[in-house]
Amino acid sequence: MEAKALVEITRPHNCILAGVVGLLGAIVAAGHFPDPTKALLVFLVVTLGCAAGNTINDYFDYEIDRINRPDRPLPRGAMSRRAAFWYSMVLFALGLAFASLISIYALIFAAVAYLMMFLYAWKLKPLPFVGNVVVAGLTAATPLYGAIAVGKIGLAGHLALCAFLVNVAREVIKDIEDVEGDLAKGAKTLPIVIGKKKSAYIGALFAFLTVIASFLPVKAGVGVSYIAMVPVDALILYSAYLILRSQDREAAHLSQKLLKISIFLAVVAFMIASLVR
């Protein structure tokens, strides 16, 4: 086994980003930076959960990744599937251990989220639209986890709604990108069941709904500081335009990548609005 595969299979850049989003969720909810120890624990619980989720996902997606992503550790033989399974279990256990140091509510929330990660990778991912909704819900849970850790929801509730909507859009578009491998595996994703064009309309619809929902904090009294969200909304709309214009693999890849970037930028915009509210 290649030592670097232990890091690579977790997709560390995604996990670190998720950890930062969890931490920013705590800041958005509280309106200030939380206690440093609690902030570190939130970061670790989210990061480890993401790492475990990515690892167990690769375990179950071995056959499909041989087609779509042959350069990943398992398809290229850098790590055995058995090792990947137990490695993910260790990461899940460490995350729960850190969650128990925050509060009982943080532990329960983390345990439910971790269970859904496992069920998604095992059974729910290939189901038309169901898998998309589940993974979007897990992404929305990231800033909410930070809010639960500090014991206050605040603007994190609005942020979670936007994160959910934009991630439904991204997951549908990502399925358009992965149609070839999904067909080979026999998966029944939305683009396979109803076609790429109709799926593109659904993805774009959820992108538009995200932009609409992004204005809810203004109604809540955030004020002009929320102007930071305007370029994020523009990026989301451009992503919708790209997938409506073309449903080929390259266009879908760019569209879903831009939506992924917009998620992090939206968190930053919410944080700015929360701190200067």
Side-chain angles (χ1 to χ4, degrees):
M1 181 177 69
E2 297 177 12
K4 68 175 184 178
L6 291 171
V7 175
E8 186 182 353
I9 197 170
T10 66
R11 298 191 273 289
H13 55 289
N14 286 345
C15 296
I16 292 172
L17 176 59
V20 170
V21 170
L23 177 57
L24 293 179
I27 297 174
V28 168
H32 58 80
F33 195 88
D35 171 77
T37 300
K38 185 169 289 185
L40 176 61
L41 288 172
V42 168
F43 178 82
L44 290 173
V45 172
V46 175
T47 301
L48 288 168
C50 179
N54 286 336
T55 302
I56 198 64
N57 187 72
D58 279 11
Y59 169 81
F60 286 113
D61 268 5
Y62 174 72
E63 293 297 335
I64 194 171
D65 282 346
R66 290 176 64 187
I67 299 170
N68 284 341
R69 294 173 177 83
D71 57 326
R72 284 186 175 173
L74 297 190
R76 74 167 192 263
M79 176 186 287
S80 70
R81 291 188 72 201
R82 179 181 175 85
F85 178 85
W86 289 111
Y87 181 42
S88 69
M89 294 301 107
V90 170
L91 293 171
F92 277 135
L94 286 173
L96 291 176
F98 285 123
S100 68
L101 299 177
I102 300 176
S103 70
I104 185 62
Y105 300 108
L107 174 60
I108 294 172
F109 194 95
V112 172
Y114 286 6
L115 177 61
M116 291 306 300
M117 288 180 195
F118 185 90
L119 291 176
Y120 166 76
W122 180 30
K123 291 292 185 181
L124 301 178
K125 186 177 182 179
L127 299 179
F129 200 59
V130 174
N132 303 136
V133 171
V134 170
V135 75
L138 287 169
T139 304
T142 302
L144 273 183
Y145 188 77
I148 287 173
V150 298
K152 183 180 179 182
I153 300 299
L155 287 179
H158 295 299
L159 174 58
L161 174 61
C162 289
F164 172 76
L165 293 171
V166 76
N167 270 281
V168 172
R170 179 176 179 264
E171 287 299 312
V172 170
I173 294 170
K174 192 170 182 296
D175 279 346
I176 295 174
E177 178 188 1
D178 291 342
V179 161
E180 181 183 350
D182 290 336
L183 275 171
K185 187 182 178 183
K188 299 295 183 181
T189 60
L190 202 62
I192 293 173
V193 174
I194 68 173
K196 292 183 179 181
K197 188 67 176 180
K198 290 181 180 178
S199 297
Y201 281 119
I202 293 174
L205 172 62
F206 275 89
F208 294 142
L209 289 175
T210 303
V211 173
I212 294 172
S214 72
F215 288 97
L216 289 176
V218 177
K219 188 175 181 181
V222 170
V224 295
S225 62
Y226 198 62
I227 197 172
M229 192 66 191
V230 172
V232 184
D233 285 339
L235 185 62
I236 294 171
L237 291 175
Y238 179 64
S239 300
Y241 163 75
L242 288 176
I243 197 61
L244 288 175
R245 185 181 65 177
S246 172
Q247 293 81 52
D248 62 29
R249 184 179 175 88
E250 291 74 22
H253 177 74
L254 178 57
S255 179
Q256 65 96 355
K257 282 294 184 183
L258 291 177
L259 287 175
K260 185 177 181 179
I261 293 171
S262 75
I263 297 167
F264 180 73
L265 295 178
V267 176
V268 174
F270 268 83
M271 183 184 68
I272 293 172
S274 176
L275 292 177
V276 301
R277 186 176 182 179

